[in-house]
Amino acid sequence: MALDNSPSTATGYIQPDIDVRALAAVLDGEYAGIRDLVRSNLGTHASVLDEADELGVDAFRERVREIVVEMAATGQTGMGFPAEYGGGGDVGASIAAFETLAFGDLSVLVKTGVQFGLFGGAILHLGTERHHETCLPRLITGELMGCFAMTETGHGSNVQALGTVARYDPARQEFVVTTPDDRARKDYIGNAARHAELAVVFAQLEVDGRSEGVHAFLVPIRVDGEPAPGVRIEDDGRKMGLNGVDNGRIWFDGVRIPREALLNRFADVSPEGVYESSIENPNRRFFTMLGTLVQGRVSVGGAGVGVAKVALAVATKYGARRRQFEATSGAEEQVLLDYGLHQRRLLPLVARTYALHFAQDVVRSHLHDVFSGIEDDAQARRRLESRAAGLKALATWHATRVVQECREACGGAGYLAVNRFAALKSDSDVFTTFEGDNHVLLQLVAKGLLTDHASEFEDLDQLGTVRYLTNLAVETVIERTSAHKLLERVRDLLPGGDEWDQEAGLRDSEYQLAMVRFREEHMLAGLARRIKRGIDQKRDPGAVFSQVQDHVIALARAHVERLVTEAFVDKVRAMPEGDEKVALALLCDLFALSTIEADRAWFMEHGRLTVQRSKAISREVNDLCRKVRPVAVDLVDAWGIPPEMLRAPDLVG
Amino acid sequence: MALDNSPSTATGYIQPDIDVRALAAVLDGEYAGIRDLVRSNLGTHASVLDEADELGVDAFRERVREIVVEMAATGQTGMGFPAEYGGGGDVGASIAAFETLAFGDLSVLVKTGVQFGLFGGAILHLGTERHHETCLPRLITGELMGCFAMTETGHGSNVQALGTVARYDPARQEFVVTTPDDRARKDYIGNAARHAELAVVFAQLEVDGRSEGVHAFLVPIRVDGEPAPGVRIEDDGRKMGLNGVDNGRIWFDGVRIPREALLNRFADVSPEGVYESSIENPNRRFFTMLGTLVQGRVSVGGAGVGVAKVALAVATKYGARRRQFEATSGAEEQVLLDYGLHQRRLLPLVARTYALHFAQDVVRSHLHDVFSGIEDDAQARRRLESRAAGLKALATWHATRVVQECREACGGAGYLAVNRFAALKSDSDVFTTFEGDNHVLLQLVAKGLLTDHASEFEDLDQLGTVRYLTNLAVETVIERTSAHKLLERVRDLLPGGDEWDQEAGLRDSEYQLAMVRFREEHMLAGLARRIKRGIDQKRDPGAVFSQVQDHVIALARAHVERLVTEAFVDKVRAMPEGDEKVALALLCDLFALSTIEADRAWFMEHGRLTVQRSKAISREVNDLCRKVRPVAVDLVDAWGIPPEMLRAPDLVG
């Protein structure tokens, strides 16, 4: 029997009736073709989900390698490489493929990312024709396996301080690569423990006794399956998850590589030992090199969204069939998803997943345009790097939170390994800290905002940025972000004049956007003022920055959430009229209002939310949950997750 | 070089200097002896942490059984049983032992809980002398292994609706136990897949064609290692974690057991087939039986606190030695825990862990008093059950959150299995849903508050409770919780009269207590009014309850947080003057204020926090973090976790 908890019909509200295929087409967008190829490949290799549980670490690593190579043969993993070397020549498609691959086993995903994204991407973007010709054709097929040896035990986040050294020996026209101490050993390097023959090694380049900063080199680390002379490799051993990826540690003991092994797109050393670079400033050079690797963050962010989708698909389907407790006398037990609490737990997460999906679309397009030369200037690259960093952080934290909530929402059944949660939880956990620790990434985002993405920023290291803040930028930011100007802009768009934040309809997208924009601008101005005050008091800039770090993180979050909200609103506006648009509009409101609700304390503290309106937003979120409930299963079906990837026959069956 | 981020010294603040051993003695309290025994046993069997990674599932299960039996021989696990059967006769000590055991491998912990807590506890509390004599001596040593077969695939939370049937056959004076369908198979039962010989089976008792509700029976399920006739057992297979515990499914196909196999403390069937019970009302009888098993929830809550301690000990020690990024020019890289953000991430969690520790002390004492007959009446039992349910929920969610935050705070290093996080995360995950799903438990807590723990509550099932709310209780609650009365009480305690919430010092415990008390009372009154309004409008009580479910959960949380705050404040007040008291007072303030801060939106919405004061609380929390920072390592050392249990040599070393 139906409970009286359907949304009020007094307002003439008509429930949308979703065409799942039509909605799926909206979500897949221009990359439906490559996504379907990946779905088909996932289906072909579906047994890997069982094998992850059943095989020992060694056998599972081999199995994952095998699958990666087989997938490579279908063209799936080479989309990002130029056609002339056997690639697909479509950067956007390569990201879309990776996002879709995240529906499956995550060791396969991460090994794919290591081989084609990190290793292949570094050679593509930091190397030149000589490296491309010798490496790309063989690495695209998976014949040449490699690794990306950047992180060291002592340095993960602060890459500029790496300890590995590559000293140029003009007599023999070779570099000598050395690990000076154990803190400088390469660590957590995927593909290193077993499969990599070649490594892209990041090291401090020394030429003629002078340090030129971190550069990348091609170093053979394994010959016929054995470590190359002078190379020591140690297995990182079992990890929380991703045990199909062979992470390891590498030490170099005076390993000699030819002069041509320097990936020399941005800098080179002449045979005689003269260092030359097209980029004068060392910091700018370093960040330019790093910037070419931005696709890694875009990929991981997209994978986070994919992981969230799998978890939510399982939990939503379970919630729509599992019954527990009689709700009304004499009735059958009630379906979980008809409980208000259960809706509250899952449906805002579905909405946020949609929001992140559309934000990922924007970043992927941006990446495609920059790396296809469609829109490629320094400003565009900075914006892309900031967006990629911010979205990676929010999407991967979202994945962690969603997997946890969904597991709990499936109770004890969700704890069995035969369901997806065990693997999702342990495998995706590291997403929040690899390809950049999320907190460090958000600080980068905030610094970009504080310095207004000034081009000077490129020339600054960590400490330099702090110093820079003492100068021009903060003043400019304070000026630019005056709440007054923002409010003027809002006033033109919303009814109510100065009272816009009291008068506008809660479900008016302009209201929602005005709120998240106000928050960001206000936080930015406030933070800039606080830093300026500290500096004016002659306090140590590092200490000032440390004390406002929580504001820094809050600002970056607010910034990314504004971008995500805009992406969702834009998407809905651009859709043709119809039930799918109605459904996504509900979901967009649910996302925007639950986002505002989550930070309602801030809005009240800053005069943008009255107590009454704050409570009204919570009621509206509840009402939206009830309206989304009837289409919840359609919404998760539209993600097009291959059924085998949901596993969990007892939960979703 | 020291950064200028130490707390302001202008106020004459003197940093406390903690004596770790003295603080440890405060924490261990009266159970130092048993805790030290467990610590010593953990050290003896420390290799289990490696074995959990290295052994296959089968071998690890055997190893865990072996360790549990060896620990039993030291007297550690039998503390809760009467001395006459070989136990220690000290209920409180048995919980303290379990809490301490949570520092180690959690498969060992959970198998101990299954064998001695669930299986042994059910026989002790639901059985009578005949069961005690035949079972207790052998189960206390671990010679007789058993399981607790309550949960079914179709019913976890709603235990009253179990499907397994035990029909009395007067002709042969036997019960016939049957699993009518697959939804009624016993599932996720620890010890079932491998080691249990005997099961305590919960089944619907049928006598003379009449259903008498759920009762417990002793059913042999394994003879000489093989399933007993009529018993089918299936392995639940690999789980997310706890793979040293052999969970399984059990079906019964007309299994005959003697009449004496009914655990007959509260009800019996005569040889002729007449049902009799000292408790007339079937619901009350059911909840009385369940209530005797409350120690399970007290144990799991305590284990959650233990898990949080281990994770925080690793992350705090790592944060106090790991350096990354130069903070000031020319300086060494900065220690993570000197960053404001890192303090914000970890130190409020340390404070909350201390708070939960002291709240657990209160519940454990309460349990001890009730089960030792020191204070045992219906009211005391109800209060204990509510406290145990609420604290279990908050402590286990806390553990999940802490493990995640701490893993991330240790970066990639935290992801390696050689550290504790992988095991802690996957093993403790299920704590939030076993021994009662946390959301269901919090609803129980809230219902207790709504019905004022009226004795009539005991006679009501789920649906009956909702109906009950339509009557007397809600009116009474509304009357009792008038904000007016509470404010009158507060006014006498705090300066400022009606302006107490503006005038009192933020670090005044009476202010903090008044805030959390006000929140609870206000939420309770508001919820009661909303339910009454729905009922008055003749809406379906089930639907009304479903719509206010998020308020129900919020109320229960507020209630438990009030109890936790009181426990911490009381503890600090009772301590002798000295540096340990000063340090714990800082920590207590940090806990109370960060708790208020986390819910500051609610306090603003309900007129108890101005915008200015809300911001002041956030500043105070930051300042408290800086004050706690210098003693952070001492604070985690005082938990007395055996060093081997921290593993992670590279992190804490």
Side-chain angles (χ1 to χ4, degrees):
Chain A
M1 102 97 282
L3 277 179
D4 172 28
N5 66 355
S6 51
S8 78
T9 49
T11 55
Y13 170 76
I14 297 167
Q15 185 65 49
D17 184 15
I18 294 181
D19 176 343
V20 172
R21 291 176 57 155
L23 184 56
V26 170
L27 290 161
D28 280 0
E30 59 187 309
Y31 296 114
I34 183 74
R35 288 189 198 275
D36 281 342
L37 172 64
V38 177
R39 288 185 178 109
S40 155
N41 284 344
L42 285 172
T44 303
H45 300 286
S47 63
V48 70
L49 300 179
D50 297 324
E51 289 155 357
D53 291 338
E54 292 158 6
L55 297 177
V57 168
D58 289 342
F60 186 51
R61 285 173 171 182
E62 295 309 317
R63 177 70 183 130
V64 167
R65 176 199 178 128
E66 196 177 285
I67 292 173
V68 168
V69 171
E70 286 177 30
M71 284 183 172
T74 69
Q76 171 196 309
T77 60
M79 293 305 298
F81 296 99
E84 57 193 296
Y85 298 115
D90 185 336
V91 179
S94 82
I95 304 294
F98 195 82
E99 292 163 9
T100 312
L101 192 60
F103 291 157
D105 176 81
L106 299 179
S107 286
V108 171
L109 177 89
V110 170
K111 196 158 183 105
T112 299
V114 165
Q115 167 72 11
F116 306 101
L118 293 174
F119 172 62
I123 293 175
L124 176 64
H125 296 300
L126 300 179
T128 52
E129 206 175 334
R130 67 181 186 227
H131 307 108
H132 296 169
E133 278 175 2
T134 52
C135 297
L136 292 185
R138 289 194 309 133
L139 80 81
I140 291 172
T141 60
E143 184 196 339
L144 171 66
M145 283 275 178
C147 66
F148 180 84
M150 179 184 271
T151 299
E152 297 175 353
T153 304
H155 286 100
S157 294
N158 188 8
V159 179
Q160 271 188 297
L162 290 176
T164 304
V165 174
R167 190 170 292 116
Y168 186 64
D169 174 1
R172 294 172 58 177
Q173 299 191 12
E174 289 174 338
F175 295 102
V176 185
V177 183
T178 304
T179 305
D181 57 51
D182 272 358
R183 292 185 68 232
R185 69 184 183 192
K186 296 296 174 185
D187 206 349
Y188 320 116
I189 309 300
N191 263 359
R194 193 74 164 251
H195 294 140
E197 288 178 54
L198 192 61
V200 173
V201 176
F202 289 80
Q204 304 286 353
L205 169 61
E206 282 187 25
V207 184
D208 200 16
R210 186 185 136 99
S211 178
E212 301 290 354
V214 171
H215 290 67
F217 303 83
L218 284 179
V219 186
I221 59 166
R222 209 173 247 112
V223 182
D224 297 331
E226 292 301 314
V231 174
R232 180 153 67 93
I233 300 176
E234 192 176 279
D235 200 315
D236 269 323
R238 253 196 111 77
K239 305 184 297 292
M240 184 183 291
L242 299 178
N243 282 302
V245 183
D246 50 316
N247 294 73
R249 308 187 174 104
I250 317 175
W251 290 255
F252 301 98
D253 181 13
V255 174
R256 292 189 162 263
I257 51 172
R259 187 184 67 90
E260 295 77 14
L262 171 66
L263 293 177
N264 62 335
R265 175 165 164 206
F266 296 104
D268 210 345
V269 177
S270 74
E272 305 73 30
V274 177
Y275 178 79
E276 49 202 18
S277 171
S278 55
I279 307 173
E280 196 79 22
N281 181 297
N283 280 303
R284 187 170 176 185
R285 186 189 312 132
F286 174 74
F287 284 114
T288 303
M289 291 187 198
L290 274 198
T292 63
L293 309 176
V294 64
Q295 66 179 35
R297 287 176 185 165
V298 178
S299 301
V300 173
V305 179
V307 165
K309 287 176 181 172
V310 175
L312 279 166
V314 175
T316 302
K317 286 163 178 283
Y318 180 74
R321 59 191 291 274
R322 171 79 173 181
R323 294 173 180 276
Q324 202 76 178
F325 290 117
E326 299 87 357
T328 49
S329 69
E332 201 179 4
E333 285 182 299
Q334 184 170 322
V335 163
L336 292 188
L337 206 52
D338 285 334
Y339 285 104
L341 178 65
H342 215 76
Q343 293 170 7
R344 260 279 180 178
R345 290 171 68 184
L346 296 184
L347 300 182
L349 297 178
V350 171
R352 194 175 177 91
T353 304
Y354 264 82
L356 291 167
H357 174 106
F358 295 125
Q360 172 72 8
D361 279 349
V362 173
V363 176
R364 187 196 327 101
S365 299
H366 197 166
L367 178 83
H368 182 84
D369 291 353
V370 165
F371 280 82
S372 307
I374 297 169
E375 188 211 355
D376 184 10
D377 55 49
Q379 191 70 12
R381 287 204 174 227
R382 281 280 158 247
R383 230 179 26 245
L384 169 62
E385 287 163 24
S386 168
R387 277 196 167 237
L391 194 61
K392 185 269 181 185
L394 263 62
T396 55
W397 270 327
H398 177 67
T400 298
R401 178 179 158 209
V402 163
V403 172
Q404 187 63 33
E405 192 66 54
C406 289
R407 200 298 286 167
E408 292 184 31
C410 293
Y415 194 64
L416 300 187
V418 73
N419 306 313
R420 285 302 306 277
F421 297 115
L424 285 178
K425 185 168 170 168
S426 53
D427 290 344
S428 72
D429 177 275
V430 78
F431 286 15
T432 55
T433 50
F434 75 2
E435 282 285 331
D437 171 272
N438 282 355
H439 284 102
V440 174
L441 292 181
L442 288 186
Q443 291 182 64
L444 285 181
V445 171
K447 283 175 186 166
L449 297 171
L450 282 166
T451 56
D452 207 12
H453 293 292
S455 64
E456 290 90 341
F457 178 52
E458 295 177 355
D459 303 339
L460 300 172
D461 62 4
Q462 168 82 3
L463 200 60
T465 307
V466 173
R467 277 203 219 92
Y468 180 76
L469 296 176
T470 65
N471 300 328
L472 191 72
V474 166
E475 301 276 6
T476 325
V477 165
I478 292 174
E479 166 61 20
R480 180 169 60 76
T481 55
S482 81
H484 184 66
K485 286 188 190 164
L486 176 74
L487 294 180
E488 265 178 12
R489 294 204 300 276
V490 169
R491 226 174 271 135
D492 299 336
L493 280 167
L494 283 169
D498 285 336
E499 299 291 303
W500 63 271
D501 50 357
Q502 309 306 321
E503 306 263 318
L506 295 180
R507 295 195 52 198
D508 182 338
S509 304
E510 285 303 334
Y511 165 71
Q512 297 158 6
L513 288 169
M515 290 288 276
V516 293
R517 285 170 182 155
F518 176 84
R519 178 177 59 160
E520 178 187 353
E521 301 272 293
H522 196 288
M523 281 184 172
L524 177 54
L527 183 58
R529 269 194 302 270
R530 287 178 58 130
I531 292 174
K532 183 168 155 41
R533 200 183 314 137
I535 303 298
D536 288 349
Q537 290 167 357
K538 308 276 181 235
R539 298 182 53 210
D540 181 293
V544 171
F545 209 74
S546 173
Q547 287 215 358
V548 296
Q549 243 179 339
D550 51 339
H551 293 255
V552 168
I553 297 295
L555 163 63
R557 270 182 194 274
H559 171 70
V560 185
E561 283 190 338
R562 189 258 296 169
L563 294 175
V564 174
T565 310
E566 287 178 349
F568 203 165
V569 168
D570 288 349
K571 184 74 192 184
V572 173
R573 283 181 180 161
M575 281 178 74
E577 297 304 317
D579 279 17
E580 289 72 42
K581 180 172 185 155
V582 173
L584 286 197
L586 283 176
L587 216 51
C588 185
D589 288 333
L590 179 53
F591 165 68
L593 292 178
S594 58
T595 298
I596 294 169
E597 184 193 34
D599 209 12
R600 66 195 197 282
W602 188 92
F603 288 104
M604 285 188 277
E605 285 171 353
H606 297 84
R608 285 296 136 206
L609 207 51
T610 62
V611 163
Q612 287 68 30
R613 202 161 166 94
S614 176
K615 292 178 178 173
I617 286 177
S618 292
R619 281 194 301 274
E620 188 69 46
V621 169
N622 281 333
D623 191 54
L624 285 164
C625 283
R626 284 190 289 275
K627 285 178 170 145
V628 168
R629 158 69 184 99
V631 292
V633 172
D634 290 342
L635 288 169
V636 302
D637 279 342
W639 290 328
I641 304 169
E644 308 92 309
M645 296 301 106
L646 297 184
R647 235 176 160 199
D650 290 345
L651 293 188
V652 302
Chain B
M1 69 135 265
L3 278 177
D4 172 27
N5 66 355
S6 51
S8 79
T9 47
T11 54
Y13 169 76
I14 298 167
Q15 185 65 47
D17 184 15
I18 294 181
D19 176 342
V20 172
R21 290 178 58 156
L23 184 55
V26 171
L27 289 161
D28 280 359
E30 58 187 310
Y31 297 115
I34 183 76
R35 290 188 198 275
D36 282 342
L37 172 64
V38 177
R39 288 183 177 110
S40 155
N41 285 343
L42 285 171
T44 304
H45 300 287
S47 64
V48 70
L49 300 179
D50 297 324
E51 290 156 355
D53 291 338
E54 293 159 5
L55 297 178
V57 168
D58 288 341
F60 187 50
R61 286 174 170 182
E62 295 309 317
R63 177 70 183 128
V64 167
R65 175 197 177 129
E66 196 176 286
I67 292 173
V68 168
V69 171
E70 286 178 31
M71 285 183 170
T74 69
Q76 170 196 310
T77 60
M79 294 306 296
F81 297 98
E84 57 194 291
Y85 299 114
D90 185 336
V91 179
S94 82
I95 304 293
F98 196 81
E99 292 162 10
T100 312
L101 192 60
F103 290 158
D105 176 80
L106 298 180
S107 286
V108 171
L109 177 88
V110 170
K111 195 155 182 109
T112 299
V114 165
Q115 168 71 11
F116 306 102
L118 293 174
F119 171 63
I123 293 175
L124 177 64
H125 296 300
L126 301 178
T128 51
E129 207 175 333
R130 66 183 186 225
H131 308 108
H132 297 168
E133 278 175 2
T134 52
C135 298
L136 292 185
R138 289 195 308 136
L139 80 81
I140 291 171
T141 60
E143 183 197 340
L144 171 67
M145 282 276 180
C147 65
F148 180 84
M150 178 185 272
T151 298
E152 296 174 357
T153 304
H155 286 99
S157 294
N158 188 8
V159 179
Q160 270 190 297
L162 290 176
T164 305
V165 174
R167 191 170 293 115
Y168 186 63
D169 174 359
R172 293 171 59 177
Q173 299 191 14
E174 289 173 337
F175 294 103
V176 184
V177 183
T178 304
T179 304
D181 57 52
D182 271 359
R183 294 184 65 232
R185 69 185 182 191
K186 297 295 173 184
D187 206 349
Y188 320 116
I189 309 300
N191 263 359
R194 196 70 164 252
H195 294 139
E197 287 177 53
L198 192 61
V200 173
V201 176
F202 289 80
Q204 303 286 354
L205 170 60
E206 281 186 25
V207 184
D208 199 15
R210 187 186 137 99
S211 178
E212 302 290 352
V214 172
H215 290 68
F217 304 83
L218 284 180
V219 185
I221 59 166
R222 209 173 249 112
V223 181
D224 296 333
E226 293 300 314
V231 173
R232 181 153 69 92
I233 300 176
E234 194 176 277
D235 200 316
D236 270 324
R238 252 195 113 76
K239 305 184 297 294
M240 184 183 291
L242 299 179
N243 282 302
V245 183
D246 51 316
N247 294 73
R249 307 186 175 105
I250 316 175
W251 289 257
F252 301 97
D253 182 12
V255 174
R256 291 188 162 265
I257 51 171
R259 189 184 65 91
E260 294 77 15
L262 171 66
L263 294 177
N264 61 336
R265 176 167 164 203
F266 296 105
D268 210 345
V269 176
S270 73
E272 303 74 30
V274 177
Y275 178 79
E276 50 203 19
S277 171
S278 54
I279 306 173
E280 195 79 21
N281 182 295
N283 281 303
R284 187 170 176 187
R285 186 188 313 133
F286 174 74
F287 285 114
T288 302
M289 290 187 200
L290 275 197
T292 62
L293 308 175
V294 64
Q295 67 180 35
R297 287 175 185 164
V298 177
S299 301
V300 173
V305 179
V307 164
K309 287 175 182 172
V310 175
L312 279 166
V314 175
T316 303
K317 285 163 178 282
Y318 180 74
R321 59 192 289 275
R322 172 79 174 182
R323 294 174 180 275
Q324 203 75 182
F325 290 117
E326 299 87 356
T328 48
S329 69
E332 199 178 5
E333 286 182 298
Q334 184 168 323
V335 164
L336 293 188
L337 206 51
D338 285 335
Y339 285 105
L341 178 65
H342 215 76
Q343 293 170 7
R344 260 279 181 179
R345 290 172 67 185
L346 296 184
L347 300 182
L349 297 178
V350 171
R352 194 175 177 90
T353 304
Y354 265 82
L356 290 167
H357 174 106
F358 295 126
Q360 172 74 8
D361 278 350
V362 173
V363 176
R364 189 198 324 102
S365 298
H366 197 164
L367 178 84
H368 182 83
D369 291 352
V370 164
F371 281 81
S372 307
I374 296 170
E375 188 211 356
D376 184 14
D377 56 50
Q379 192 70 12
R381 287 205 174 224
R382 282 279 158 247
R383 230 178 28 243
L384 169 62
E385 286 163 26
S386 168
R387 276 196 168 235
L391 194 61
K392 184 270 181 184
L394 262 63
T396 56
W397 271 328
H398 177 68
T400 298
R401 178 179 159 209
V402 163
V403 171
Q404 186 63 33
E405 192 66 55
C406 289
R407 199 298 285 168
E408 293 183 30
C410 293
Y415 194 64
L416 301 186
V418 73
N419 305 314
R420 285 302 306 278
F421 297 115
L424 284 178
K425 185 167 169 169
S426 52
D427 290 344
S428 71
D429 177 275
V430 77
F431 287 14
T432 55
T433 50
F434 77 1
E435 282 286 329
D437 171 273
N438 282 357
H439 285 102
V440 174
L441 291 181
L442 288 186
Q443 291 182 62
L444 285 180
V445 170
K447 283 174 186 167
L449 297 171
L450 282 166
T451 55
D452 206 11
H453 294 294
S455 65
E456 289 90 341
F457 178 53
E458 295 177 352
D459 302 340
L460 299 172
D461 61 4
Q462 168 82 4
L463 199 61
T465 307
V466 172
R467 276 203 220 94
Y468 180 76
L469 297 176
T470 66
N471 299 326
L472 190 73
V474 166
E475 301 276 6
T476 324
V477 165
I478 293 174
E479 167 60 20
R480 181 169 58 77
T481 56
S482 81
H484 183 67
K485 286 187 191 164
L486 177 74
L487 295 181
E488 266 180 11
R489 293 204 300 275
V490 169
R491 224 174 272 138
D492 298 337
L493 280 167
L494 285 168
D498 286 336
E499 300 291 304
W500 63 271
D501 50 358
Q502 309 305 322
E503 307 265 317
L506 295 180
R507 294 195 54 198
D508 182 337
S509 304
E510 284 302 334
Y511 165 71
Q512 299 158 5
L513 288 170
M515 290 289 275
V516 294
R517 285 171 181 154
F518 176 84
R519 178 176 59 159
E520 178 187 352
E521 302 270 293
H522 196 289
M523 282 184 172
L524 178 55
L527 183 58
R529 269 195 301 271
R530 288 176 60 128
I531 292 173
K532 182 169 156 41
R533 200 183 311 135
I535 302 299
D536 288 350
Q537 291 167 357
K538 308 276 181 235
R539 298 181 54 212
D540 181 292
V544 171
F545 208 74
S546 174
Q547 288 214 357
V548 296
Q549 243 179 338
D550 51 340
H551 293 254
V552 168
I553 297 295
L555 163 63
R557 271 183 195 275
H559 170 71
V560 185
E561 284 189 337
R562 189 260 295 171
L563 294 175
V564 174
T565 311
E566 287 177 350
F568 203 166
V569 169
D570 287 349
K571 185 73 191 185
V572 174
R573 284 182 181 162
M575 282 177 73
E577 298 304 318
D579 279 17
E580 289 72 42
K581 181 172 185 155
V582 172
L584 287 197
L586 283 175
L587 217 50
C588 186
D589 288 334
L590 179 53
F591 164 69
L593 292 178
S594 57
T595 298
I596 293 169
E597 184 193 34
D599 209 12
R600 66 196 197 281
W602 188 93
F603 286 104
M604 285 189 276
E605 286 171 352
H606 296 84
R608 285 296 135 205
L609 207 52
T610 62
V611 163
Q612 288 68 30
R613 201 159 167 94
S614 176
K615 293 177 178 172
I617 286 177
S618 292
R619 282 194 301 275
E620 188 69 44
V621 168
N622 281 334
D623 191 54
L624 285 165
C625 282
R626 285 190 289 275
K627 285 178 171 146
V628 168
R629 158 69 184 101
V631 291
V633 173
D634 290 342
L635 287 169
V636 302
D637 279 343
W639 289 329
I641 304 169
E644 308 93 308
M645 296 300 107
L646 297 185
R647 234 173 161 202
D650 290 345
L651 293 187
V652 301

